[in-house]
């Protein structure tokens, strides 16, 4: 079988059956608490390589990409370039962060009334889960602060996403929004707004105000952190 192929492992698979059962039982009993990164990845690989020892491949992936999150953030092509990784494995690995983001988004209650920045963080962070490129989202709210819709406006290459005033205005008017929240991520890992972020935000605020729509906030999201431009004082006096 060619390198990267994903078929049964023959007789060798039986040797590892007991180990697979123990790892699965460990997860069902305690979840991922206390489980090493390579063991977590090994558990995932059980489902694309039904027999044989996947421990070496799990270690190889962690070593190649630096961490568990590095493995999940790798591109499909980068994963396929690793010996022992075939299409099924690469697809499943890419599915995990995408599925995690969808799960978090699905938990948002559209009847929830939003008043606080922490609520906006819970709403917006899942949109950027596992993102490799810079993206821009707009959350639209009615007059009672209930969420109407959360729309993706733009996605670009690293540090190059852009959004026009026309896009924001069109989305807000289409949703019949009273207030909106703009959010984008910095793939650099630094949540501090740039001079361009500040200028764009103030221009959007003035434009939206002219048609009776309030710009509630502009959030900048990075892994594990978020900056509210309103709470940080960048929108004072506007």
């Amino acid at each position: 079988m060619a390198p990267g192929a994903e078929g049964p492992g023959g007789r060798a698979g039986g040797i590892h059956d007991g180990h697979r059962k123990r790892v699965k039982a460990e997860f069902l009993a305690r979840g991922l608490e206390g489980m090493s990164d390579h063991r977590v990845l090994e558990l995932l690989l059980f489902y694309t390589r039904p027999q044989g020892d996947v421990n070496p491949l799990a270690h190889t992936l962690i070593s190649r990409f630096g961490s568990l999150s590095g493995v999940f953030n790798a591109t499909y092509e980068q994963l396929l370039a690793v010996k022992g990784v075939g299409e099924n494995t690469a697809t499943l690995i890419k599915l995990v962060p995408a599925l995690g983001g969808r799960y978090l988004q699905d938990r948002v209650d559209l009847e929830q009334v939003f008043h606080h920045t922490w609520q906006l963080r819970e709403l917006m962070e899942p949109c950027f889960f596992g993102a490799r490129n810079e993206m821009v989202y707009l959350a639209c709210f009615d007059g009672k602060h209930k969420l109407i819709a959360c729309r993706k406006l733009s996605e670009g290459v690293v540090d190059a996403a852009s959004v026009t005033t026309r896009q924001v205005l069109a989305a807000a008017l289409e949703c019949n929004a009273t207030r909106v929240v703009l959010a984008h991520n910095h793939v650099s890992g630094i949540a501090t707004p740039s001079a361009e972020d500040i200028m764009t935000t103030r221009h959007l605020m003035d434009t939206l105000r002219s048609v009776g729509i309030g710009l509630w906030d502009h959030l900048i999201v990075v892994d594990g952190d978020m900056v509210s431009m309103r709470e940080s004082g960048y929108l004072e006096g506007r």
Side-chain angles (χ1 to χ4, degrees):
M1 184 174 293
E6 299 176 332
R11 292 176 58 191
I15 299 174
H16 303 284
D17 286 348
H19 172 67
R20 288 172 177 249
K21 289 178 181 178
R22 287 191 296 273
V23 174
K24 292 176 184 178
E26 179 184 350
F27 168 70
L28 292 174
R30 299 194 300 271
L32 297 181
E33 184 178 355
M35 191 177 285
S36 65
D37 284 355
H38 81 270
R39 183 61 61 85
V40 173
L41 194 53
E42 189 180 6
L43 176 60
L44 187 66
L45 293 174
F46 290 163
Y47 296 95
T48 60
R49 301 177 68 91
Q51 293 181 309
D53 185 6
V54 296
N55 184 276
L57 180 56
H59 278 283
T60 296
L61 286 165
I62 295 293
S63 177
R64 174 72 63 89
F65 298 109
S67 65
L68 188 62
S69 61
V71 174
F72 291 131
N73 287 335
T75 66
Y76 180 76
E77 291 73 21
Q78 288 173 330
L79 291 167
L80 286 180
V82 177
K83 185 177 180 179
V85 174
E87 293 179 357
N88 291 342
T89 296
T91 300
L92 183 62
I93 289 174
K94 294 307 301 174
L95 176 63
V96 169
L99 188 60
R102 176 67 66 87
Y103 165 73
L104 292 174
Q105 284 180 296
D106 197 53
R107 292 177 59 186
V108 175
D109 182 359
L110 292 180
E111 292 301 313
Q112 181 180 358
V113 177
F114 288 76
H115 290 294
H116 307 288
T117 302
W118 65 264
Q119 292 174 297
L120 297 177
R121 178 171 182 165
E122 287 188 348
L123 170 67
M124 302 308 304
E125 276 192 326
C127 297
F128 304 98
F129 191 87
R132 293 176 58 85
N133 297 328
E134 191 165 290
M135 300 186 295
V136 181
Y137 280 82
L138 187 74
C140 299
F141 300 85
D142 67 14
K144 297 181 179 178
H145 296 189
K146 288 184 179 180
L147 180 66
I148 300 171
C150 186
R151 295 192 174 182
K152 182 178 180 179
L153 298 184
S154 176
E155 178 173 0
V157 296
V158 174
D159 293 327
S162 62
V163 62
T164 65
T165 301
R166 180 179 297 179
Q167 284 177 287
V168 175
L169 192 59
L173 290 172
E174 185 176 331
C175 291
N176 197 27
T178 300
R179 307 176 81 187
V180 297
V181 173
L182 192 68
H184 80 279
N185 60 322
H186 280 179
V187 293
S188 64
I190 302 173
T192 305
S194 65
E196 184 179 0
D197 289 334
I198 297 169
M199 181 179 65
T200 299
T201 303
R202 290 175 174 172
H203 175 66
L204 284 171
M205 179 175 284
D206 292 341
T207 302
L208 288 166
R209 184 187 293 124
S210 70
V211 294
I213 301 173
L215 179 62
W216 183 356
D217 210 339
H218 185 171
L219 309 175
I220 301 174
V221 181
V222 299
D223 289 340
D225 194 15
M226 185 196 80
V227 167
S228 159
M229 290 185 64
R230 180 168 294 281
E231 286 193 348
S232 299
Y234 293 104
L235 305 184
E236 286 183 359
R238 307 299 294 184

